[in-house]
Amino acid sequence: MTNDLPARSVTRAARPPVWAAILASAGLSWGLASSAEARPSYDGSAPTCFLTAGGALEICRDGSEAEGVLAAPSPCAFARGIQLLRLPKTGVTAVFQGESPLAKTRRGEDCPERKATDARDGGALHTGRSPEQLATILPPSQSRFGVALPEERRRKGEAPTLEGIGPRDPIAIAGRDWAGEEYSYVFLLGQESTATDAEVPEDQPRRRRGRRRREVSEPAVPAAFRRIQIEARTLDFASFEIRTRDEDGKLAWEPVTPEKKTRRRASAAPTPVAVLDEAGKPLMSACPAPPFATQGLAGSISIVDRTYHYFYTDVLPEDCGLPPEQRRMGLYLRTSTDLAADRVWSAARRLGAALPPNSLVRVARAKGATRWAVSYTCNRPANAPGGPVADICLQYTADLDPAGIGALTLYADPVEAGRSPTYLGLRSGGNGAGRFDRASHFWMTDAYGNLDLPTTYAGKSGLLTWVDRLSPGAGGYEGSRVYGRPAFWATWTVRRTGTP
């Protein structure tokens, strides 16, 4: 295990308040402070220390742990689910979900603030490279591709608002390089309508599609969607091919090219198809939901012993009848030995007890250890400094048996409250009044999806990234909770306790 230091008592000593200053930026700018900059925190709380891995390890985040701003997007940009991926030949690549490109504006015109009004916003994969010495600075990036799978929100008495959080939650992973494969893969989440005409209210407006005389009517906003997993592959993280089907129904990979508009029509973008499991069924979330409330399939992929381990959360089937915000989640595992196969994933295996609604869990092999590291969204206990504010929790298993993940107690009772004593005590972000939003967390990995670190922090055990939708961005507090909000990073350290 890395950082093999003497045991430390589980105490909470005083520490100076810290805060990572948000970078002011008129455009999409990126930066990283080498250490957390002094600024009053909301409570001046003490270090977070707790035991994990059955008492064999201790995590204690004190003043030596670094935090900072990873990205400070402009009001018309965002970055979420940021995976920093170390590639053996090209260094670190940032892979994340971001906005789609704006339509061309007049020369010299500033990028107008937008509040997710484009149906494709949030449906674009962004990537960018960085040299090793800048491994924890999110590099300049480009929008690689997006798929028009719009989502629409309706509020009483108001016109529909297209929020556009279509394909999302990218996960990047190496192909079978041990078998000579050169491709890397990126999995994303789209959604498909499962609505029938009977599910659409009579007063729901319908739209006409196509200009042929034989018109096909369909609901403007279908009543029910499920998430699906879609797949892309790449040789350089700059150009991609989408997994699709040819006219005979056989698996095909179609290159993604920038859309070109002519006077007559816009060029058609590739239509992705859902990834299949070993039974030939599309990988689809368990429960239908309105378009803005779909849940499930977000997670991480880790390669251990040449086997892909896809850990993700999904709604428990028995909760499908509840409102989306009340549906509990389960943690699931699927495995694969070939991401380019026609049928990719094994049947789902559930790990552990029920989780709170909207839980996000990431799992990867720990750096320098034969253990799983498990990070997940949580709230601090009610008696913790600052009360039950949002944080990110972290635990380690005793070995690499996935059953050990299911044996972890991720949340205290009642589970619905989402509280856990294994919180990291993150300090950056917040709205200045003690409220935080640790959304879309990810971490730095190697090409195999397992924990890695930049050379600057080689003595640490891991590096997290997350977005705080409550923090003021370049556009202040107004507008979308997604656009313009800063992304943060933080390290943690694991130490042995001497316990067998």
Side-chain angles (χ1 to χ4, degrees), residues 465-490:
T465 70
W466 74 92
V467 177
D468 194 320
R469 296 172 297 178
L470 297 180
S471 291
Y477 286 101
E478 302 299 323
S480 171
R481 289 188 66 206
V482 175
Y483 284 81
R485 303 304 176 184
F488 297 91
W489 64 274

Side-chain angles (χ1 to χ4, degrees), residues 374-421:
V374 184
S375 65
Y376 54 101
T377 50
C378 68
N379 292 321
R380 299 176 189 175
N383 60 352
V389 300
D391 211 314
I392 297 173
C393 286
L394 180 68
Q395 295 194 47
Y396 282 68
T397 60
D399 52 36
L400 284 174
D401 184 351
I405 300 173
L408 295 174
T409 301
L410 300 186
Y411 297 97
D413 290 328
V415 171
E416 290 74 13
R419 298 171 186 170
S420 173

Side-chain angles (χ1 to χ4, degrees), residues 217-387:
S217 61
E218 62 179 357
V221 185
F225 286 87
R226 292 179 192 264
R227 289 189 179 184
I228 60 171
Q229 186 185 68
I230 60 179
E231 183 181 11
R233 69 181 186 181
T234 181
L235 294 172
D236 56 9
F237 281 89
S239 58
F240 291 83
E241 295 176 322
I242 292 288
R243 183 187 184 101
T244 184
R245 298 275 171 183
D246 61 20
E247 294 180 356
D248 297 326
K250 296 181 180 179
L251 174 64
W253 295 92
E254 186 172 351
V256 180
T257 57
E259 292 187 28
K260 297 180 180 180
K261 294 184 178 181
T262 67
R263 292 183 179 180
R264 294 185 177 181
R265 63 180 180 86
S267 59
T271 302
V273 295
V275 177
L276 302 181
D277 65 14
E278 62 185 16
K281 296 181 179 179
L283 201 64
M284 185 174 289
S285 58
C287 301
F292 200 74
T294 55
Q295 300 178 45
L297 305 187
S300 55
I301 300 174
S302 183
I303 303 175
V304 174
D305 296 331
R306 298 186 177 181
T307 299
Y308 296 87
H309 296 74
Y310 170 36
F311 298 93
Y312 64 95
T313 53
D314 198 1
V315 174
L316 298 180
E318 59 265 32
D319 282 7
C320 287
L322 298 175
E325 66 275 8
Q326 298 178 15
R327 296 173 179 175
R328 296 169 301 165
M329 311 289 284
L331 178 62
Y332 295 89
L333 168 64
R334 294 177 186 258
T335 59
S336 175
T337 56
D338 186 0
L339 301 183
D342 187 73
R343 301 183 179 189
V344 177
W345 297 112
S346 69
R349 170 187 171 187
R350 182 175 164 187
L351 304 173
L355 307 177
N358 297 306
S359 296
L360 174 61
V361 181
R362 310 277 194 192
V363 181
R365 180 172 177 162
K367 185 170 178 59
T370 52
R371 306 176 187 270
W372 296 110
V374 184
S375 65
Y376 54 101
T377 50
C378 68
N379 292 321
R380 299 176 189 175
N383 60 352

Side-chain angles (χ1 to χ4, degrees), residues 76-78 97-103 111 114 116-126 142-148 163-164 167 259 483:
C76 57
F78 72 91
Q97 175 187 340
E99 76 291 342
S100 61
L102 277 170
C111 175
R114 58 182 177 185
T117 56
D118 188 307
R120 296 171 301 169
D121 284 343
L125 172 72
H126 287 236
Q142 293 185 21
S143 172
R144 301 305 180 181
F145 67 86
V147 183
E163 295 285 352
E259 292 187 28
Y483 284 81

Side-chain angles (χ1 to χ4, degrees), residues 30 51 67 71 160 223 294 301 331 390 440:
W30 316 100
L51 298 177
E67 293 191 19
T294 55
I301 300 174
L331 178 62
S440 303

